[in-house]
Amino acid sequence: MPKMKTKKSAAKRFRVRAGGTIKRGQAFKRHILTKKTTKNKRHLRGSTQVHESDVVSVRAMMPYA
């Protein structure tokens, strides 16, 4: 059997933590920041984990992670 391939777009966006949860970056903080409030931008800092409803599809995209 051939090897399974990792979706490279998913590999660039997600990391699997030691506990098994999947880390992702926050959306909506790339451009058009002038109309967003300072509070809104502050809450978008850092990273968060992928929602449990999406974990199955992310794991399917990264079979060796």
Side-chain angles (χ1 to χ4, degrees):
M1 285 298 295
K3 293 179 187 177
M4 295 174 69
K5 285 194 171 182
T6 296
K7 299 279 186 191
K8 298 310 281 182
S9 59
K12 293 169 189 173
R13 286 172 171 82
F14 305 110
R15 295 284 178 263
V16 179
R17 292 177 171 152
T21 59
I22 302 172
K23 182 172 79 166
R24 69 168 175 88
Q26 282 280 9
F28 304 108
K29 191 140 190 290
R30 295 291 180 192
H31 61 104
I32 315 175
L33 298 173
T34 53
K35 63 177 71 170
K36 295 172 185 158
T37 63
T38 308
K39 179 181 179 180
N40 190 6
K41 291 183 278 192
R42 185 173 63 245
H43 287 321
L44 291 173
R45 278 184 204 152
S47 58
T48 183
Q49 68 182 29
V50 173
H51 196 265
E52 59 265 11
S53 61
D54 298 321
V55 168
V56 174
S57 59
V58 173
R59 287 200 183 278
M61 290 188 272
M62 303 193 318
Y64 299 109

